[in-house]
Amino acid sequence: MVIPLDLLSFKGKATTTGNLLNWKTEREVNFSHFEIEISKDARQFEKIGRQASNASCNSALLDVLANASAQYYYRLKMIDRLENIPGQH
């Protein structure tokens, strides 16, 4: 399966209002949206947001529920227009 975009960067930063996630993409072709997931152990993830494709290829999400004293892991699921998830069958 071909990934419908190139992910250039994915960064997170703790702020006073929550954890700010930023990512940049290019060449979004037949791409629908991202699903943003969080985990405390890097094994069990749960969905915390959805971000539609946008023309600027720059996206962000502020996780205001994150506890400042805890460590979190985040991941992006990239969903194409046919609702396929690259790497999953």
XYZ file of all heavy atoms in Angstrom:
712
model
N 0.839 -1.171 0.000
C 0.000 0.000 0.000
C 0.889 1.241 0.000
O 1.878 1.317 0.710
C -0.901 -0.010 1.236
C -1.752 1.209 1.358
S -2.839 1.199 2.792
C -3.895 -0.141 2.358
N 0.508 2.221 -0.782
C 1.253 3.471 -0.879
C 0.709 4.458 0.149
O -0.496 4.640 0.271
C 1.119 4.066 -2.297
C 1.798 5.413 -2.392
C 1.679 3.097 -3.323
N 1.602 5.103 0.886
C 1.189 6.123 1.848
C 0.797 7.369 1.067
O 1.549 7.818 0.195
C 2.324 6.414 2.843
C 2.627 5.161 3.652
C 1.957 7.575 3.765
C 3.811 5.279 4.577
N -0.367 7.976 1.369
C -0.882 9.083 0.560
C -0.249 10.444 0.844
O -0.795 11.460 0.464
C -2.363 9.091 0.921
C -2.392 8.579 2.314
C -1.302 7.550 2.387
N 0.905 10.470 1.519
C 1.587 11.726 1.796
C 3.000 11.447 2.269
O 3.353 10.313 2.569
C 0.850 12.539 2.867
C 0.624 11.875 4.227
C 1.814 11.969 5.135
C -0.579 12.487 4.888
N 3.811 12.489 2.342
C 5.138 12.407 2.956
C 5.077 13.160 4.271
O 4.732 14.353 4.280
C 6.198 13.044 2.055
C 6.473 12.234 0.797
O 6.243 11.004 0.826
O 6.909 12.821 -0.204
N 5.398 12.489 5.368
C 5.455 13.130 6.674
C 6.863 13.673 6.864
O 7.827 12.916 6.949
C 5.109 12.125 7.780
C 5.087 12.665 9.200
C 4.001 13.722 9.375
C 4.866 11.519 10.180
N 7.003 14.996 6.916
C 8.304 15.648 7.024
C 8.763 15.773 8.471
O 9.949 15.660 8.758
C 8.266 17.030 6.369
C 7.886 17.058 4.895
C 7.825 18.494 4.393
C 8.860 16.232 4.074
N 7.832 16.052 9.371
C 8.191 16.174 10.787
C 6.963 15.943 11.659
O 5.827 16.127 11.224
C 8.786 17.555 11.077
O 7.814 18.565 10.915
N 7.221 15.527 12.894
C 6.178 15.346 13.912
C 6.835 15.642 15.249
O 7.736 14.922 15.669
C 5.627 13.920 13.866
C 4.561 13.640 14.901
C 3.458 14.457 15.034
C 4.665 12.535 15.730
C 2.474 14.177 15.972
C 3.691 12.249 16.668
C 2.592 13.077 16.785
N 6.438 16.740 15.875
C 7.076 17.200 17.104
C 6.037 17.503 18.169
O 4.915 17.885 17.858
C 7.894 18.468 16.832
C 9.001 18.273 15.827
C 9.717 19.575 15.545
C 10.782 19.356 14.486
N 11.486 20.589 14.166
N 6.447 17.331 19.420
C 5.603 17.678 20.536
C 6.342 18.563 21.512
O 7.566 18.464 21.649
N 5.593 19.436 22.184
C 6.200 20.354 23.142
C 5.218 20.598 24.276
O 4.039 20.886 24.038
C 6.539 21.666 22.443
C 7.136 22.705 23.345
C 7.421 23.984 22.584
C 8.031 25.020 23.514
N 8.323 26.266 22.812
N 5.704 20.479 25.519
C 4.877 20.801 26.677
C 4.761 22.316 26.792
O 5.749 23.034 26.675
C 5.492 20.215 27.934
N 3.543 22.798 26.996
C 3.299 24.218 27.202
C 2.517 24.394 28.502
O 2.103 23.404 29.114
C 2.491 24.835 26.035
O 1.148 24.337 26.085
C 3.120 24.511 24.688
N 2.273 25.606 28.893
C 1.519 25.852 30.123
C 0.051 25.477 29.982
O -0.632 25.287 30.980
C 1.628 27.337 30.545
O 1.155 28.151 29.469
C 3.050 27.694 30.898
N -0.432 25.336 28.755
C -1.835 24.991 28.535
C -2.046 23.552 28.075
O -3.182 23.133 27.877
C -2.472 25.948 27.499
O -1.704 25.909 26.295
C -2.517 27.365 28.025
N -0.976 22.782 27.893
C -1.083 21.391 27.448
C 0.077 21.019 26.553
O 1.029 21.778 26.405
N -0.017 19.851 25.949
C 1.029 19.394 25.022
C 0.644 19.797 23.604
O -0.422 19.435 23.117
C 1.212 17.883 25.110
C 1.843 17.462 26.409
O 2.548 18.240 27.056
N 1.605 16.236 26.822
N 1.534 20.527 22.960
C 1.287 21.005 21.614
C 1.994 20.103 20.620
O 3.209 19.925 20.687
C 1.797 22.445 21.460
C 1.617 23.084 20.080
C 0.134 23.170 19.708
C 2.265 24.461 20.061
N 1.233 19.508 19.722
C 1.767 18.638 18.673
C 1.722 19.396 17.351
O 0.718 20.021 17.021
C 0.931 17.366 18.546
C 0.698 16.576 19.830
C -0.222 15.403 19.553
C 2.003 16.120 20.426
N 2.813 19.334 16.606
C 2.896 19.963 15.284
C 3.460 18.954 14.299
O 4.383 18.214 14.642
C 3.836 21.174 15.307
C 3.261 22.331 16.059
O 2.337 22.968 15.597
N 3.806 22.593 17.228
N 2.914 18.951 13.090
C 3.486 18.098 12.053
C 3.348 18.765 10.694
O 2.495 19.600 10.474
C 2.881 16.701 12.063
C 1.408 16.600 11.847
C 0.765 16.343 10.670
C 0.379 16.714 12.835
N -0.588 16.296 10.864
C -0.851 16.517 12.188
C 0.368 16.966 14.204
C -2.069 16.565 12.862
C -0.836 17.020 14.872
C -2.036 16.813 14.196
N 4.273 18.404 9.820
C 4.306 18.947 8.465
C 4.314 17.791 7.476
O 4.971 16.778 7.699
C 5.559 19.801 8.256
C 5.570 21.057 9.076
C 6.814 21.871 8.803
C 6.818 23.090 9.698
N 7.985 23.928 9.487
N 3.612 17.988 6.388
C 3.533 16.978 5.338
C 3.733 17.649 3.983
O 3.713 18.874 3.873
C 2.163 16.274 5.338
O 1.149 17.239 5.057
C 1.883 15.586 6.659
N 3.873 16.825 2.975
C 3.829 17.302 1.600
C 3.289 16.178 0.732
O 3.204 15.034 1.168
C 5.194 17.792 1.117
C 6.244 16.726 1.004
C 7.593 17.286 0.526
O 7.787 18.506 0.505
O 8.452 16.462 0.180
N 2.899 16.540 -0.466
C 2.376 15.583 -1.449
C 1.188 14.783 -0.916
O 1.162 13.555 -1.032
C 3.464 14.651 -1.932
C 4.488 15.323 -2.801
C 5.392 14.286 -3.430
N 6.539 13.993 -2.604
C 7.731 14.548 -2.733
N 7.927 15.431 -3.658
N 8.726 14.223 -1.956
N 0.211 15.468 -0.354
C -0.994 14.776 0.097
C -1.850 14.441 -1.116
O -2.407 15.320 -1.753
C -1.774 15.643 1.087
C -1.050 15.835 2.398
C -1.859 16.603 3.434
O -3.039 16.903 3.179
O -1.298 16.891 4.511
N -1.922 13.157 -1.443
C -2.670 12.686 -2.609
C -3.694 11.665 -2.131
O -3.349 10.685 -1.474
C -1.720 12.032 -3.646
C -2.510 11.492 -4.820
C -0.661 13.013 -4.091
N -4.964 11.911 -2.427
C -6.049 11.025 -1.992
C -6.015 10.794 -0.478
O -6.301 9.713 0.003
C -6.007 9.688 -2.732
C -6.297 9.851 -4.194
O -7.138 10.661 -4.583
N -5.588 9.118 -5.028
N -5.660 11.835 0.243
C -5.539 11.747 1.696
C -6.778 12.342 2.343
O -7.268 13.386 1.945
C -4.284 12.499 2.152
C -4.079 12.465 3.635
C -3.753 11.278 4.263
C -4.228 13.605 4.401
C -3.570 11.240 5.634
C -4.044 13.573 5.760
C -3.717 12.387 6.382
N -7.272 11.676 3.386
C -8.477 12.128 4.074
C -8.159 12.878 5.361
O -8.471 14.061 5.488
C -9.371 10.936 4.388
O -10.475 11.335 5.180
N -7.537 12.171 6.332
C -7.347 12.795 7.638
C -6.316 12.049 8.485
O -5.916 10.941 8.152
C -8.665 12.868 8.399
C -9.241 11.523 8.739
N -9.989 10.777 7.844
C -9.172 10.768 9.869
C -10.355 9.642 8.409
N -9.867 9.616 9.645
N -5.936 12.683 9.576
C -5.093 12.064 10.594
C -5.973 11.683 11.779
O -6.915 12.399 12.098
C -4.047 13.054 11.131
C -3.015 13.467 10.149
C -3.140 14.646 9.446
C -1.891 12.690 9.940
C -2.174 15.049 8.552
C -0.917 13.074 9.041
C -1.062 14.258 8.347
N -5.620 10.600 12.427
C -6.153 10.301 13.744
C -4.987 10.425 14.714
O -3.925 9.840 14.489
C -6.753 8.892 13.795
C -8.034 8.784 12.994
C -8.675 7.416 13.048
O -8.131 6.499 13.700
O -9.725 7.257 12.421
N -5.170 11.217 15.755
C -4.122 11.442 16.733
C -4.405 10.562 17.937
O -5.532 10.536 18.441
C -4.044 12.934 17.147
C -3.805 13.823 15.919
C -2.931 13.150 18.165
C -5.021 14.337 15.276
N -3.377 9.831 18.373
C -3.538 8.884 19.475
C -2.522 9.173 20.578
O -1.452 9.718 20.321
C -3.370 7.456 18.972
C -4.408 7.060 17.947
C -4.270 5.630 17.485
O -3.152 5.096 17.506
O -5.291 5.051 17.098
N -2.879 8.769 21.802
C -2.027 8.994 22.965
C -1.865 7.689 23.745
O -2.747 6.832 23.729
C -2.627 10.085 23.887
C -1.649 10.479 24.992
C -3.961 9.641 24.460
C -2.088 11.689 25.794
N -0.727 7.565 24.427
C -0.452 6.400 25.264
C 0.440 6.822 26.425
O 1.254 7.740 26.294
C 0.261 5.314 24.455
O 0.665 4.247 25.290
N 0.298 6.127 27.553
C 1.204 6.344 28.681
C 2.333 5.316 28.694
O 3.339 5.508 29.354
C 0.435 6.280 30.005
C -0.467 7.480 30.213
C -1.114 7.446 31.566
C -1.988 8.667 31.761
N -2.619 8.673 33.076
N 2.162 4.193 27.948
C 3.170 3.128 27.970
C 3.747 2.789 26.594
O 4.534 1.867 26.457
C 2.588 1.867 28.604
C 1.419 1.280 27.826
O 1.128 1.746 26.702
O 0.791 0.350 28.351
N 3.369 3.504 25.559
C 3.821 3.286 24.174
C 3.351 1.952 23.600
O 3.845 1.508 22.575
C 5.341 3.416 24.047
N 2.368 1.323 24.242
C 1.801 0.060 23.738
C 0.300 0.168 23.496
O -0.186 -0.263 22.462
C 2.094 -1.072 24.721
C 3.545 -1.519 24.678
C 3.790 -2.711 25.603
N 4.919 -2.351 26.450
C 4.888 -2.238 27.757
N 3.805 -2.492 28.420
N 5.956 -1.874 28.423
N -0.404 0.685 24.459
C -1.859 0.846 24.362
C -2.160 2.302 24.014
O -1.907 3.191 24.818
C -2.531 0.496 25.698
C -2.247 -0.896 26.169
C -3.240 -1.888 25.603
O -3.980 -1.600 24.671
N -3.257 -3.068 26.167
N -2.705 2.523 22.820
C -3.018 3.875 22.363
C -4.524 4.074 22.281
O -5.268 3.133 22.006
C -2.402 4.132 20.985
C -0.925 4.388 21.021
C -0.026 3.332 21.022
C -0.432 5.682 21.056
C 1.339 3.557 21.054
C 0.931 5.923 21.087
C 1.821 4.863 21.089
N -4.953 5.305 22.514
C -6.357 5.657 22.326
C -6.457 6.947 21.531
O -5.598 7.834 21.631
C -7.088 5.787 23.656
C -6.640 6.931 24.519
C -7.407 7.012 25.827
O -7.093 6.243 26.735
O -8.319 7.853 25.897
N -7.502 7.044 20.736
C -7.706 8.198 19.863
C -8.124 9.410 20.702
O -9.017 9.316 21.541
C -8.789 7.876 18.839
C -9.077 8.974 17.855
C -10.139 8.519 16.868
C -10.660 9.659 16.055
N -11.728 9.220 15.155
N -7.456 10.551 20.464
C -7.823 11.787 21.161
C -8.232 12.900 20.199
O -8.654 13.962 20.635
C -6.688 12.297 22.078
C -5.428 12.590 21.272
C -6.434 11.331 23.204
C -4.397 13.401 22.035
N -8.075 12.656 18.908
C -8.447 13.708 17.973
C -8.405 13.258 16.536
O -7.912 12.184 16.216
N -8.959 14.113 15.704
C -8.978 13.883 14.261
C -8.698 15.211 13.584
O -9.241 16.245 13.986
C -10.352 13.361 13.848
C -10.446 13.142 12.366
C -11.821 12.761 11.926
N -11.804 12.793 10.471
C -12.662 12.195 9.713
N -13.632 11.528 10.232
N -12.562 12.261 8.417
N -7.836 15.187 12.583
C -7.465 16.415 11.871
C -7.592 16.153 10.380
O -6.957 15.245 9.849
C -6.023 16.787 12.217
C -5.538 18.064 11.633
C -5.897 19.258 12.489
O -6.118 19.119 13.668
N -5.979 20.409 11.883
N -8.424 16.933 9.721
C -8.618 16.783 8.281
C -7.395 17.259 7.509
O -6.604 18.056 8.010
C -9.848 17.570 7.842
N -7.270 16.764 6.305
C -6.225 17.236 5.398
C -6.434 18.729 5.160
O -7.559 19.211 5.131
C -6.330 16.474 4.083
O -5.427 16.959 3.144
N -5.333 19.455 5.022
C -5.477 20.880 4.719
C -4.453 21.290 3.662
O -3.420 20.657 3.497
C -5.367 21.744 5.977
C -3.999 21.712 6.599
O -3.011 22.057 5.960
N -3.916 21.298 7.847
N -4.746 22.359 2.983
C -3.921 22.788 1.852
C -2.530 23.251 2.268
O -1.585 23.162 1.492
C -4.632 23.912 1.098
N -2.366 23.729 3.498
C -1.062 24.256 3.913
C -0.063 23.157 4.261
O 1.135 23.396 4.310
C -1.221 25.170 5.127
O -1.505 24.408 6.285
N -0.548 21.943 4.529
C 0.285 20.805 4.906
C 0.978 21.009 6.249
O 1.944 20.323 6.572
C 1.306 20.454 3.820
S 0.530 19.910 2.290
N 0.497 21.965 7.043
C 0.969 22.180 8.404
C -0.212 21.954 9.335
O -1.277 22.537 9.129
C 1.488 23.607 8.596
C 2.748 23.869 7.808
O 3.702 23.110 7.876
N 2.741 24.934 7.020
N -0.039 21.114 10.333
C -1.137 20.798 11.240
C -0.672 20.885 12.684
O 0.515 20.744 12.977
C -1.666 19.391 10.960
O -2.149 19.293 9.640
N -1.640 21.088 13.589
C -1.319 21.170 15.007
C -2.514 20.696 15.823
O -3.659 20.749 15.373
C -0.968 22.598 15.393
N -2.210 20.209 17.025
C -3.243 19.817 17.979
C -2.721 20.150 19.368
O -1.557 19.862 19.684
C -3.526 18.314 17.888
C -4.517 17.812 18.938
C -5.904 17.706 18.329
C -4.095 16.493 19.508
N -3.556 20.750 20.199
C -3.197 21.038 21.583
C -3.944 20.065 22.475
O -5.176 20.068 22.510
C -3.550 22.482 21.953
C -3.215 22.900 23.381
C -1.711 22.827 23.630
C -3.738 24.295 23.666
N -3.216 19.207 23.171
C -3.803 18.242 24.105
C -3.890 18.923 25.471
O -2.944 18.918 26.244
C -2.943 16.975 24.174
C -3.512 15.927 25.115
O -4.618 16.139 25.664
O -2.850 14.897 25.309
N -5.037 19.517 25.774
C -5.209 20.264 27.021
C -5.455 19.351 28.212
O -5.397 19.797 29.359
C -6.347 21.307 26.909
C -6.008 22.365 25.867
C -7.666 20.639 26.593
N -5.718 18.071 27.972
C -5.977 17.132 29.064
C -4.714 16.479 29.603
O -4.755 15.779 30.612
C -6.969 16.055 28.610
C -8.326 16.571 28.144
C -9.200 15.419 27.663
C -9.021 17.359 29.242
N -3.586 16.701 28.961
C -2.327 16.083 29.385
C -1.900 16.636 30.740
O -1.944 17.836 30.986
C -1.238 16.333 28.346
N -1.481 15.737 31.614
C -0.966 16.101 32.931
C 0.502 16.493 32.789
O 1.308 15.720 32.280
C -1.132 14.900 33.867
C -0.663 15.162 35.269
O 0.187 16.010 35.517
N -1.214 14.425 36.199
N 0.869 17.653 33.262
C 2.231 18.169 33.079
C 3.295 17.295 33.737
O 4.444 17.298 33.321
C 2.321 19.594 33.614
N 2.939 16.523 34.753
C 3.943 15.713 35.454
C 4.072 14.298 34.892
O 4.892 13.516 35.361
C 3.602 15.639 36.946
O 2.362 14.981 37.125
N 3.289 13.957 33.868
C 3.319 12.609 33.288
C 4.027 12.613 31.942
O 4.162 13.641 31.297
C 1.902 12.077 33.128
N 4.488 11.433 31.536
C 5.092 11.271 30.219
C 4.077 10.612 29.299
O 3.440 9.626 29.659
C 6.335 10.393 30.296
C 7.002 10.190 28.952
C 8.337 9.489 29.060
O 9.010 9.577 30.068
N 8.707 8.793 28.009
N 3.944 11.150 28.076
C 3.000 10.622 27.102
C 3.708 10.308 25.796
O 4.724 10.907 25.469
C 1.886 11.640 26.818
C 1.024 11.942 28.010
C 1.260 13.057 28.798
C -0.031 11.116 28.351
C 0.471 13.340 29.901
C -0.825 11.383 29.445
C -0.568 12.504 30.215
O -1.343 12.776 31.303
N 3.131 9.392 25.058
C 3.576 9.047 23.712
C 2.417 9.354 22.774
O 1.265 9.045 23.080
C 3.930 7.560 23.615
C 5.005 7.154 24.575
C 4.699 6.734 25.865
C 6.347 7.196 24.204
C 5.689 6.361 26.763
C 7.345 6.817 25.085
C 7.009 6.409 26.365
O 7.986 6.053 27.235
N 2.727 9.952 21.647
C 1.709 10.284 20.657
C 2.061 9.623 19.339
O 3.229 9.404 19.031
C 1.648 11.801 20.449
C 1.166 12.567 21.654
C 2.063 13.063 22.581
C -0.184 12.793 21.848
C 1.632 13.774 23.694
C -0.629 13.502 22.948
C 0.275 13.986 23.869
O -0.165 14.689 24.962
N 1.032 9.318 18.560
C 1.266 8.825 17.202
C 0.161 9.327 16.284
O -0.944 9.656 16.723
C 1.388 7.311 17.161
C 0.112 6.545 17.347
C 0.369 5.044 17.239
N -0.852 4.295 17.482
C -0.911 2.990 17.644
N 0.210 2.277 17.588
N -2.048 2.386 17.841
N 0.484 9.364 15.011
C -0.451 9.775 13.967
C -0.828 8.569 13.131
O 0.045 7.816 12.704
C 0.189 10.799 13.028
C 0.570 12.151 13.593
C 1.320 12.946 12.531
C -0.652 12.897 14.046
N -2.096 8.416 12.874
C -2.556 7.454 11.873
C -2.940 8.274 10.657
O -3.668 9.264 10.772
C -3.766 6.664 12.371
C -3.417 5.534 13.279
C -4.642 4.661 13.514
C -4.290 3.481 14.375
N -5.487 2.664 14.646
N -2.447 7.880 9.500
C -2.733 8.581 8.260
C -3.776 7.784 7.491
O -3.541 6.630 7.143
C -1.454 8.756 7.461
C -0.445 9.623 8.200
S 1.224 9.481 7.558
C 1.858 8.201 8.630
N -4.928 8.380 7.250
C -6.059 7.686 6.637
C -6.303 8.246 5.242
O -6.461 9.459 5.075
C -7.342 7.863 7.484
C -7.081 7.619 8.977
C -8.463 6.987 6.940
C -6.679 6.222 9.343
N -6.342 7.348 4.249
C -6.604 7.828 2.891
C -8.110 7.964 2.665
O -8.915 7.668 3.545
C -5.920 6.947 1.844
C -6.521 5.567 1.695
O -7.654 5.325 2.168
O -5.861 4.705 1.087
N -8.492 8.411 1.498
C -9.916 8.674 1.216
C -10.771 7.418 1.184
O -11.985 7.485 1.265
C -10.049 9.434 -0.093
C -9.579 10.856 0.049
C -9.980 11.700 -1.120
N -9.538 13.061 -0.869
C -9.173 13.902 -1.790
N -9.216 13.544 -3.050
N -8.790 15.110 -1.490
N -10.147 6.252 1.060
C -10.889 4.995 1.081
C -10.930 4.400 2.491
O -11.337 3.263 2.670
C -10.259 3.996 0.115
C -10.253 4.419 -1.351
C -9.490 3.421 -2.192
C -11.671 4.587 -1.865
N -10.484 5.192 3.482
C -10.439 4.788 4.894
C -9.426 3.685 5.162
O -9.547 2.931 6.115
C -11.830 4.374 5.414
C -12.827 5.511 5.416
C -12.477 6.639 6.387
O -12.100 6.357 7.519
O -12.622 7.814 5.985
N -8.419 3.550 4.303
C -7.326 2.601 4.535
C -6.295 3.235 5.441
O -6.037 4.432 5.382
C -6.645 2.213 3.215
C -7.564 1.409 2.328
O -8.243 0.517 2.783
N -7.571 1.748 1.056
N -5.664 2.409 6.270
C -4.572 2.843 7.123
C -3.319 2.140 6.633
O -3.201 0.922 6.750
C -4.834 2.472 8.599
C -6.154 3.078 9.067
C -3.672 2.925 9.476
C -6.610 2.564 10.412
N -2.358 2.876 6.059
C -1.128 2.234 5.570
C -0.447 1.428 6.664
O -0.359 1.864 7.812
C -0.270 3.419 5.140
C -1.249 4.491 4.814
C -2.371 4.300 5.811
N -0.027 0.223 6.318
C 0.674 -0.626 7.286
C -0.242 -1.534 8.073
O 0.211 -2.383 8.819
N -1.567 -1.369 7.938
C -2.514 -2.249 8.622
C -3.352 -2.966 7.583
O -3.745 -2.405 6.585
C -3.421 -1.447 9.563
C -2.665 -0.868 10.713
C -3.611 -0.257 11.730
O -4.823 -0.222 11.539
N -3.063 0.221 12.815
N -3.634 -4.232 7.848
C -4.406 -5.035 6.879
C -5.679 -5.535 7.527
O -5.791 -5.716 8.662
C -3.572 -6.221 6.402
C -2.259 -5.792 5.821
N -2.150 -5.253 4.561
C -1.018 -5.790 6.339
C -0.889 -4.959 4.326
N -0.174 -5.284 5.399
